[in-house]
């Protein structure tokens, strides 16, 4: 059993893999293997604490079949197992019926509800797996809602089979209620719902068991985990001793309308700290700052002057841009340029509002990168925020496709969509990032990496991971996420980038 793998599979892809596996020579006995793998995890955890009593919940589908198999193994190893089955034998698949029969043959008993006045040391959750209905109106209700709430109130470690019951495996969306697991043993491949949106809050530690299938050879994944191993393959090279500021490119930031100067300054400072050779701010406000005395390295200009500079490497458009006609004019000018672009905040809102601006984006030949949070994504795709969050994987892919760009759908478990329909789910970051200005910092980091010659896709992936990893370090240093500031993210991301490029061996 491995602790992690980098491929991520949607429910449809897992079903496809199951069918391909069924056609392989020799019976794959996947349910038996899943039950055994889960039982081994439960056994090892229980033995650490010298505990023996396990409550197993088996639901009406194949997730219940895994639970029967796990229960049988645990009972054979002398654990005291109580099994609650909520379905009917006649509606189980033939595999799951075999597991139920094997449980009964082994002397196991079946309860229809959780017995009162008994105590357990661990719960195994086999109520629902990837078959949980994600259609509207199919939230957990009745006995299932009651069971999930009861288990969550028990305050016992829960081992979830495949995915915590109640969590959408493609979306990470809680369907009414979901089991809060301490561990999830997931089968065949990682699912998006384990790592994005609400998933990380419910899954606990994730263990992957591929059930001896060579998953990667059966189905090439379209989605991957974005983690430190991957981030370290995307770094800019160490600097040459003879380099000069021109070597590391120039970032132009367009934004900073009246009352929103801070956003442009934050993006500019992030670009500077993450290594851009020069950073120019093209400010929209009529009476703009001429110098930021706390960061005098930033070159502040009226916005029209930015378009006269000949050495820019890329433009970041949006931080503090506003929605007025002049903002729209300068966004359109940027879209008509041949520079790589990073589009954030009101640049995204202007694109969502004006189809002529959206058309300029779609027609671009140079790379464009969109960095929407879910509300901006909802405007861009003309959907509700809840529909975006209910299928973040599709939303990210649709943004990239619709606007001919790469895109990150931000929020916990940010999803980066790049060319060829590939998606990467980010594993760094924490709720300390839920504070004003952190998005501006992200856009500045992407700009800095672009200016240093990182490709637009790699710049997006690396920036998203680095930004979250900086927040994770700050969370540890501060003992929690409260009060983390955007400026601190820039400083810590700078330190991390230096460590990864210059002392990778110490991490
Ligand atoms: N098919 C296979 O080859 C394998 C399947 N495995 C297990 O099987 C699981 C998938 O099994 P299934 O496809 O049977 O799906 P599930 O067991 O996840 O759930 C399906 C059942 O739940 C009911 N249901 C769905 N949504 C509901 C809701 N909101 N309220 C009440 N009832 C609801 C359905 O009517 C159906 O009876 C995987 O997650 C995994 O645990 C593993 O054994 C590995 C092999
Ligand atoms: N709970 C969270 N977990 C992980 N990352 C988060 C969380 N909340 C916010 N973030 C990250 O913080 C950033 C916020 O960006 P955004 O909403 O545009 O902020 P702002 O507009 O204030 O700058 C995004 O990168 C987002 O992914
Ligand atoms: K489950």
């Amino acid at each position: 059993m491995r602790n992690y793998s980098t491929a991520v599979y949607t429910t449809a892809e897992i079903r496809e893999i199951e069918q391909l596996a069924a056609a392989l020579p020799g019976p794959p006995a996947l349910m038996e293997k899943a039950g055994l793998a889960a039982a081994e995890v439960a056994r090892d955890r229980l033995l650490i604490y010298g505990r023996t009593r396990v409550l197993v919940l088996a639901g009406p589908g194949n997730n219940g079949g895994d639970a029967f198999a796990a229960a049988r193994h645990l009972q054979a190893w002398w654990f005291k197992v109580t099994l609650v089955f909520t379905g009917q034998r006649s509606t189980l698949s033939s595999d799951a019926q075999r597991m139920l029969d094997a449980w009964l043959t082994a002397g196991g008993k079946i309860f229809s509800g959780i017995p009162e006045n008994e105590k357990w040391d661990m719960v195994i959750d086999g109520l629902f797996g990837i078959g949980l209905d994600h259609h509207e109106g199919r939230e957990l209700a009745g006995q299932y809602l009651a069971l999930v709430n009861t288990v969550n109130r028990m305050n016992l470690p829960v081992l979830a089979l495949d995915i915590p019951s109640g969590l959408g495996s493609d979306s990470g969306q809680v369907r009414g209620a979901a089991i809060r697991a301490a561990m999830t043993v997931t089968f065949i491949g990682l699912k998006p719902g384990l790592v994005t949106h609400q998933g990380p809050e419910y899954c606990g530690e994730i263990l992957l068991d591929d059930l001896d299938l060579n998953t990667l050879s059966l189905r090439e994944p379209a989605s991957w985990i974005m983690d430190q191993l991957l981030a370290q393959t995307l770094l800019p090279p160490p600097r040459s001793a003879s380099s000069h500021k021109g070597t590391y490119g120039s970032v132009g930031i367009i934004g900073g309308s009246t009352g929103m100067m801070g956003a442009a300054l934050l993006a500019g400072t992030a670009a500077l700290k993450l290594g851009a050779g020069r950073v120019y701010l093209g400010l929209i406000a009529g009476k703009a700052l001429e110098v930021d005395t706390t960061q005098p390295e930033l070159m502040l200009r009226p916005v029209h002057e930015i378009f006269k500079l000949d050495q820019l490497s890329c433009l970041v458009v949006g931080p503090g841009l506003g929605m007025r006609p002049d903002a729209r004019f300068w966004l359109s000018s940027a879209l008509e340029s041949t520079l790589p672009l990073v589009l954030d905040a009101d640049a995204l809102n202007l694109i969502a509002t004006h189809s002529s601006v959206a058309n300029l984006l779609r027609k671009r030949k140079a790379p464009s990168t969109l960095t929407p949070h879910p509300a901006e994504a909802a405007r861009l795709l003309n959907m509700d925020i809840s529909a975006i969050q209910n299928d973040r994987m599709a939303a990210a892919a649709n943004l990239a496709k619709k606007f001919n760009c790469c895109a990150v759908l931000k929020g916990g478990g940010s999803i980066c969509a790049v060319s060829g329909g590939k998606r990467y789910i980010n594993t760094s970051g924490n709720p300390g990032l839920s504070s004003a200005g952190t998005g501006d910092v992200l856009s500045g980091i992407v700009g800095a990496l672009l200016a240093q010659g990182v490709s637009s896709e790699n710049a997006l992936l690396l920036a998203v991971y680095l930004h979250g990893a900086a927040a994770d370090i700050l969370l540890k240093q501060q003992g929690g996420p409260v009060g983390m500031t955007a400026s601190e993210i820039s400083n810590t991301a700078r330190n991390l980038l230096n460590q990864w490029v210059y002392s990778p061996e110490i991490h």
Side-chain angles (χ1 to χ4, degrees):
M1 184 160 330
R2 278 170 291 157
N3 252 7
Y4 236 61
S5 145
T6 50
V8 180
Y9 291 101
T10 60
T11 299
E13 289 168 335
I14 296 274
R15 301 263 191 231
E16 219 180 284
I17 292 167
E18 284 169 0
Q19 280 183 2
L20 291 167
L24 292 173
L30 297 180
M31 195 174 281
E32 180 62 31
K33 286 181 182 167
L36 178 59
E40 285 172 347
V41 172
R43 176 196 63 196
D44 294 348
R45 303 291 157 131
L46 285 160
L47 288 180
I48 292 173
Y49 302 103
R51 305 291 165 130
T52 54
R53 300 164 302 179
V54 190
L55 172 65
V56 179
L57 305 180
N62 286 334
N63 200 242
D66 299 343
F68 287 123
R72 171 166 46 83
H73 288 292
L74 286 168
Q75 183 163 274
W77 300 328
W78 305 105
F79 288 93
K80 186 174 176 305
V81 181
T82 308
L83 187 136
V84 175
F85 176 43
T86 57
Q88 288 167 358
R89 185 182 183 284
S90 59
T91 53
L92 287 175
S93 68
S94 55
D95 278 350
Q97 283 188 1
R98 264 196 300 281
M99 295 302 150
L100 166 59
D101 295 343
W103 166 248
L104 294 173
T105 305
K109 288 202 183 69
I110 288 179
F111 292 82
S112 58
I114 298 178
E116 284 180 13
N117 303 323
E118 279 202 47
K119 289 209 161 58
W120 296 277
D121 305 306
M122 176 185 270
V123 181
I124 295 184
D125 156 36
L127 287 176
F128 301 109
I130 59 171
L132 182 77
D133 194 336
H134 62 269
H135 294 97
E136 217 165 314
R138 282 288 274 168
E139 266 73 26
L140 290 193
Q143 64 165 333
Y144 292 114
L145 182 65
L147 274 174
V148 167
N149 287 334
T150 305
V151 168
N152 284 345
R153 274 196 302 267
M154 282 177 166
N155 238 344
L156 290 173
V158 180
L159 171 62
L161 305 185
D162 215 16
I163 186 155
S165 298
L167 193 66
S169 58
D170 284 344
S171 63
Q173 172 96 29
V174 171
R175 313 291 312 157
I179 291 283
R180 276 189 190 270
M183 283 166 290
T184 298
V185 56
T186 200
F187 307 122
I188 300 176
L190 288 181
K191 287 94 188 160
L194 298 170
V195 281
T196 195
H197 195 26
Q198 295 170 286
E201 227 172 316
Y202 284 82
C203 298
E205 182 187 355
I206 300 170
L207 299 159
L208 171 68
D209 196 296
D210 62 10
L211 309 183
D212 301 327
L213 294 176
N214 189 347
T215 314
L216 288 179
S217 72
L218 287 174
R219 174 70 162 83
E220 192 180 340
S223 308
W224 302 86
I225 287 291
M226 181 65 219
D227 58 10
Q228 184 153 339
L229 276 181
L230 189 51
Q232 287 187 324
T233 66
L234 309 176
L235 299 170
R239 296 189 165 198
S240 143
S242 62
S243 70
H244 53 86
K245 63 184 178 235
T247 317
Y248 305 111
S250 300
V251 177
I253 313 262
I254 296 183
S257 58
T258 306
M260 294 194 282
M261 201 66 69
L265 291 171
L266 281 167
T269 305
L272 200 60
K273 298 253 164 117
L274 272 292
R278 300 185 188 93
V279 181
Y280 295 91
L281 263 56
L283 299 170
I284 303 266
K287 288 183 188 155
L289 285 178
E290 288 182 0
V291 67
D292 174 2
T293 51
T294 62
Q295 199 70 69
E297 301 87 349
L298 295 174
M299 291 177 267
L300 276 49
R301 301 276 194 273
V303 60
H304 64 271
E305 287 193 14
I306 292 290
F307 287 90
K308 294 185 192 148
L309 298 169
D310 55 10
Q311 79 275 40
L312 281 184
S313 319
C314 65
L315 284 171
V316 176
V317 189
L321 183 69
M323 295 286 285
R324 291 163 39 125
D326 51 344
R328 178 177 162 192
F329 175 81
W330 294 116
L331 169 61
S332 300
S333 305
L335 290 167
E336 282 166 342
S337 80
T338 54
L339 290 170
L341 295 184
V342 183
L343 302 167
D344 187 33
D346 279 336
L348 303 173
N349 295 329
L350 283 164
I351 290 162
T353 313
H354 301 286
S355 56
S356 58
V357 182
N359 281 336
L360 289 178
L361 171 59
R362 271 192 284 268
K363 281 194 292 200
R364 295 193 88 235
K365 300 261 184 301
S368 318
T369 301
L370 308 192
T371 58
H373 57 53
E376 289 156 350
R379 287 177 212 124
L380 285 165
L381 293 175
N382 205 10
M383 294 166 80
D384 292 342
I385 299 177
S386 61
I388 297 283
Q389 292 295 67
N390 202 21
D391 199 348
R392 287 168 57 79
M393 294 289 277
N398 289 340
L399 284 165
K401 201 162 150 206
K402 178 170 176 184
F403 295 105
N404 174 34
C405 63
C406 50
V408 55
L409 176 60
K410 296 187 295 193
S414 290
I415 296 165
C416 300
V418 298
S419 58
K422 273 194 175 171
R423 287 166 295 199
Y424 292 83
I425 307 180
N426 188 42
T427 52
S428 65
N430 62 71
L433 285 170
S434 307
S435 81
T438 55
D440 304 319
V441 166
L442 177 68
S443 66
I445 299 178
V446 182
L449 295 172
L450 286 172
Q452 289 167 89
V454 180
S455 73
S456 60
E457 294 190 359
N458 289 353
L460 177 65
L461 295 175
L462 178 55
V464 167
Y465 184 77
L466 192 55
H467 181 259
D472 291 341
I473 290 202
L474 286 166
L475 181 137
K476 274 197 198 128
Q477 285 173 355
Q478 309 298 327
V482 177
M484 203 179 279
T485 63
S487 305
E488 291 173 303
I489 301 291
S490 293
N491 289 334
T492 309
R494 168 190 60 192
N495 298 348
L496 263 185
L497 183 60
N498 277 311
Q499 282 168 20
W500 293 351
V501 176
Y502 294 97
S503 334
E505 66 285 355
I506 59 174
H507 302 284

